[in-house]
Amino acid sequence: MRIAIDIDSTLHHHWDVLSEVSRQRFGIELPYEEQVSWGITRLREDQLQLCIEESHSDARILAGHPYPGAVETVCRWHREGHVVYVVSSREERMRPATERWLQAIGLPFERLHCCPEKVLRCSEERVELLIDDSPSDLSHAAELGIAVAAILHPWNEELCEEEGLLAARDWAQLSAALETLLTANCDASKQGALAG
């Protein structure tokens, strides 16, 4: 199976980094549990953009800690023969530090795509499963027939519940929830190879 995995708030908890920058720069807290929509209303757009930029400095990218179980799960999928892409809305200039971070944490991947149109890139790569936190990206991917899954956050819980999307609180739960889908795909691939 071709699997695409987002980075921020999917492979690691980016919200704490963003909130820290907002607090340092503007004295404005961004309480995680209150972020129930995708928009961040406590900051003006220019303030938010500055915080996003600073939260993606090389030093902050390289200091990121993956969620428990994320790397181990992706490594297992890779060993099982799944093709892993990493997709992010990070700017292209953030690619070198992002690649170094992915290598440092030992996450196997076919390609890293840094672009604002992650879902279109997934479609071009014939991705079959997207793991992301963005409500708009999850919805768009599902509309294109791409299976979706998410680590639950306050901003995507409502969508996941309303749409019945596969979602979990952590990577251990996500791995277990995806087991049937990934096993069925592996079995179908093996049968196709035997028939060919």
Side-chain angles (χ1 to χ4, degrees):
M1 177 170 264
R2 292 171 176 261
I3 305 169
I5 305 171
D6 177 46
I7 300 173
D8 298 323
S9 299
T10 300
L11 282 176
H12 80 105
H13 194 59
H14 181 249
W15 192 263
D16 289 351
V17 179
L18 189 65
S19 185
E20 177 189 339
V21 171
S22 176
R23 187 173 53 254
Q24 289 174 349
R25 183 60 98 141
F26 302 110
I28 298 173
E29 296 279 342
L30 301 176
Y32 172 77
E33 58 282 344
E34 293 178 16
Q35 191 58 43
V36 295
S37 72
W38 192 234
I40 298 173
T41 57
R42 289 184 175 217
L43 295 171
R44 295 189 321 261
E45 185 62 31
D46 61 316
Q47 292 174 321
L48 175 59
Q49 288 308 313
L50 185 60
C51 288
I52 290 171
E53 289 282 323
E54 287 188 27
S55 73
H56 288 106
S57 69
D58 286 3
R60 283 194 167 98
I61 288 172
L62 294 169
H65 296 286
Y67 285 126
V71 173
E72 296 82 358
T73 298
V74 176
C75 285
R76 181 172 47 79
W77 291 344
H78 186 258
R79 284 192 308 271
E80 291 170 355
H82 301 289
V83 178
V84 177
Y85 299 94
V86 177
V87 294
S88 176
S89 294
R90 292 178 178 184
E91 294 178 19
E92 182 63 30
R93 66 176 183 74
M94 300 165 185
R95 172 188 295 277
T98 301
E99 284 180 339
R100 286 198 313 271
W101 179 73
L102 291 168
Q103 291 164 354
I105 65 171
L107 191 112
F109 61 97
E110 182 75 18
R111 274 193 276 293
L112 165 65
H113 294 291
C114 293
C115 58
E117 295 295 334
K118 291 186 296 185
V119 177
L120 291 178
R121 188 55 53 97
C122 287
S123 182
E124 291 168 2
E125 292 282 8
R126 299 186 330 272
V127 163
E128 298 160 278
L129 169 64
L130 171 65
I131 303 172
D132 206 314
D133 69 297
S134 161
S136 58
D137 288 339
L138 291 167
S139 293
H140 187 193
E143 288 169 5
L144 294 177
I146 299 171
V148 296
I151 297 293
L152 283 171
H153 295 288
W155 56 85
N156 66 21
E157 277 186 291
E158 186 176 330
L159 172 76
C160 290
E161 185 177 314
E162 285 179 359
E163 300 296 324
L165 303 181
L166 195 147
R169 293 271 169 217
D170 58 35
W171 270 87
Q173 290 179 357
L174 187 68
S175 175
L178 285 168
E179 192 65 32
T180 302
L181 174 67
L182 296 178
T183 301
N185 181 272
C186 278
D187 292 345
S189 295
K190 287 176 187 172
Q191 288 178 355
L194 292 173

